Each structure stands twice: as C-alpha cells, then as structure tokens.
Amino acid sequence: MPNWKEIDLQAKQWMKEAGEIIKSSLSRTLKIKTKSNPNDLVTEMDQAIEQFFIKNIKETYPGHRIIGEEGFGDKVTQLDGIVWLIDPIDGTVNFVHMQRNFAISIGIYEDGIGRIGLIYDVIRDELYHTIRGNGVFMNDLPLEQLDTVQVPEAIIGLNTTWVTKNTRINPAILGALVKDLRGTRSYGSAALEMASVAAGRLDGYITLRLAPWDFAAGKIMVEELGGYVTDLTGKSINLLGQNSVLVAKPGLYEEILKNYLNNGNW
Ligand code: 2AM
Ligand code: CA
C-alpha cells in the first residue's frame, strides 16, 4: 500500500518551496500571455511551478502520473494507479491583478479515489490539507465537520457571470437562489472557494465550468468533512473533463438541488 503519510509530507514540503518561488517572483515583472480568451491568463510562473512539481514527482515517484493545467504532465485517459492533479496557480487573474487570493492546488487520487488534498494560500501562508479518513487541517488547526444550514442563512461563492446571459445556464435559475440567500461572494479561485467551504467561511460554491485540477483537492476536503460535491444535476463529478460544480454543506445541498435546480432537470 502506498505510504500516504510520507507522500503527504513530501508534497507539502514541495508546496512550501513552490510558494517561496512564487513570492520571490512578485517583485519582478512577469511575462503574461492570454490563452483561450482575454480573461484566460497564463504567466511564466504558472508554467515554472507546474514544471517544478513534475520534475520532483517524476524523480521521487516514477510510477505516479500527473495531470497539470499547463499541459506539462502526462496524457491521462484513465484514472488507474496514482494520479496527481495539479493547478500550479489557481486564480491566475488574481495573481496578476492583486498579487494575492491565489493558491496552489494538488489532489492525489488512487484508482479514481481521492487520497490527499492540498490547497496552499501562498500569501496568507495557509495550507489546507487532508489525508482521506484523517480529517482536514488548516496549518495545524483541525477543521470541524460541516453543520447543516438552510438557504436564508447561507453565503455561497458564485461568480456574477452565471446570473447574466451566458451559454451554460438560464440566469433566472441562479438569480432566484441569489435572491433567497443571505449573500454571495466571488473569490476568483475555485480552490480557495472550496477551502473556504471546508473551513466553514462559505456554506457553498456554485460554478458552471471547472476543470479537474481546479476542484481535485477541494472535493476531497469538503467530502471528508461531510459536505457534498457534485455537478449541478446531482451527478458525480468527472475527474477527466470539464464540469459544472455544486459544493454545499448538508441540508443546503439538498435544498438547492430540489428547490432551485429542479432535481437536476433545468
Ligand atoms: P485558473 O485561475 O487556474 O484558470 C475563476 O473563476 C476560477 O475558475 C479559477 O479557479 C480559475 O482557475 C477557473 N477557470 C478559469 N477559466 C477556466 C476555464 N476555461 N475552465 C475551467 N476553469 C476555469
Ligand atoms: Ca491555473
């Protein structure tokens, strides 16, 4: 059996080192390019950090495979064996515009089952970490199991894009939910929004388009604490493709799915 404790310790050490590399880049002018559209940014740091992890993982764990956002990893079409899903900088727009509110996100899966989740808020020096079955921690602080909450008392992470005209969902659907919630917040980093649900600062998070490296770590954490992570029809998330994502505490999850998403028939 893989020694998850050892892999976790090693991965956390690389995350801290990567955090130092990112911090030392903040005083320099970085090369920034756009990818698919003007909002889709990539910097030389995204690429360098992904390569840093891949080099270390390949040297230490040659049998493990890697899915990385910037494409330096392996071509993975099946989730057999141990697979690392890496987002070297989640929240690149925040990284470029604000120099904060971004994270390194790593989920480690074995035969499709989440084993280790790591999200590092580099600027706050807050490392969220879990080994499946052993609880979730923020640095040394254990996070509590998630309590039930209902819509009128809930604050969820939601990008305002999804309540304007868009190609993925009728804005009226989430508009009705927004009206009934206590509030919404938009952090611009899926990993930090999911870590915030794990830490109890947000009660849920909804988005219509995420890639596996965006949610791989957060999913393990939220589920470890009794929360739910599915797509917006209530189906399990596909770890090899793009997904809509509904993250919520117990109670809130069922209420949103039934009363606002018509049990997935929207
Ligand atoms: P990124 O910064 O790593 O690209 C912002 O709303 C959140 O959505 C971030 O977590 C961001 O991750 C992610 N994101 C941005 N563009 C995306 C895309 N085209 N597909 C999936 N996720 C995306
Ligand atoms: Ca990224």
Side-chain angles (χ1 to χ4, degrees):
M1 214 181 76
N3 186 339
W4 298 116
K5 279 216 169 78
E6 188 247 20
I7 296 171
D8 175 66
L9 266 177
Q10 180 64 82
K12 287 195 284 206
Q13 189 193 320
W14 290 333
M15 270 191 142
K16 292 277 177 156
E17 286 174 37
E20 290 305 317
I21 298 171
I22 294 174
K23 273 191 274 186
S24 69
S25 80
L26 291 174
S27 55
R28 286 191 278 126
T29 310
L30 292 174
K31 289 193 201 76
I32 302 163
K33 286 182 278 193
T34 57
K35 290 199 275 190
S36 57
N37 65 62
N39 307 331
D40 197 2
L41 302 181
V42 60
T43 72
E44 54 188 298
M45 215 18 77
D46 297 72
Q47 298 176 332
I49 295 299
E50 181 162 314
Q51 285 166 321
F52 167 85
F53 281 108
I54 291 174
K55 180 174 179 289
N56 281 309
I57 296 163
K58 291 285 174 196
E59 275 172 16
T60 314
Y61 307 111
H64 296 190
R65 293 181 301 152
I66 302 158
I67 300 176
E69 172 167 22
E70 308 308 334
F72 299 109
D74 301 301
K75 289 254 169 311
V76 176
T77 54
Q78 299 282 328
L79 284 174
D80 53 303
I82 298 181
V83 179
W84 296 52
L85 293 105
I86 301 180
D87 192 341
I89 300 184
D90 183 67
T92 299
V93 172
N94 289 349
F95 174 61
V96 169
H97 284 251
M98 308 176 175
Q99 290 84 52
R100 70 196 68 197
N101 302 327
F102 60 87
I104 304 171
S105 177
I106 297 183
I108 308 177
Y109 284 70
E110 181 190 36
D111 299 329
I113 296 168
R115 293 291 177 188
I116 292 173
L118 302 164
I119 296 174
Y120 185 33
D121 181 335
V122 171
I123 300 303
R124 292 189 179 84
D125 194 25
E126 290 179 346
L127 177 57
Y128 299 84
H129 53 106
T130 183
I131 303 177
R132 185 193 179 84
N134 290 276
V136 185
F137 297 80
M138 193 279 280
N139 295 337
D140 295 331
L141 184 78
L143 301 181
E144 289 177 13
Q145 286 286 310
L146 300 177
D147 263 344
T148 60
V149 64
Q150 291 181 316
V151 165
E153 286 81 43
I155 299 180
I156 69 163
L158 180 75
N159 187 319
T160 48
T161 308
W162 310 120
V163 289
T164 64
K165 192 158 179 275
N166 70 84
T167 56
R168 289 171 198 262
I169 192 165
N170 175 347
I173 295 174
L174 294 177
L177 172 63
V178 168
K179 223 174 175 161
D180 293 349
L181 287 163
R182 178 166 285 164
T184 57
R185 300 290 183 268
S186 183
Y187 297 167
S189 156
L192 290 181
E193 313 213 53
M194 293 179 82
S196 297
V197 175
R201 293 193 294 263
L202 286 178
D203 301 297
Y205 171 57
I206 291 178
T207 185
L208 270 293
R209 187 191 59 194
L210 280 190
W213 43 81
D214 295 320
F215 56 72
K219 181 176 188 294
I220 305 171
M221 290 179 196
V222 170
E223 290 177 346
E224 174 74 11
L225 296 173
Y228 294 89
V229 182
T230 67
D231 73 11
L232 261 64
T233 69
K235 287 203 207 61
S236 48
I237 295 269
N238 171 12
L239 280 158
L240 292 171
Q242 293 235 341
N243 291 260
S244 64
V245 177
L246 168 60
V247 181
K249 290 182 176 174
L252 181 67
Y253 176 83
E254 292 85 352
E255 197 183 354
I256 292 175
L257 204 54
K258 178 164 172 277
N259 297 350
Y260 298 88
L261 296 171
N262 192 28
N263 289 316
N265 299 307
W266 45 273

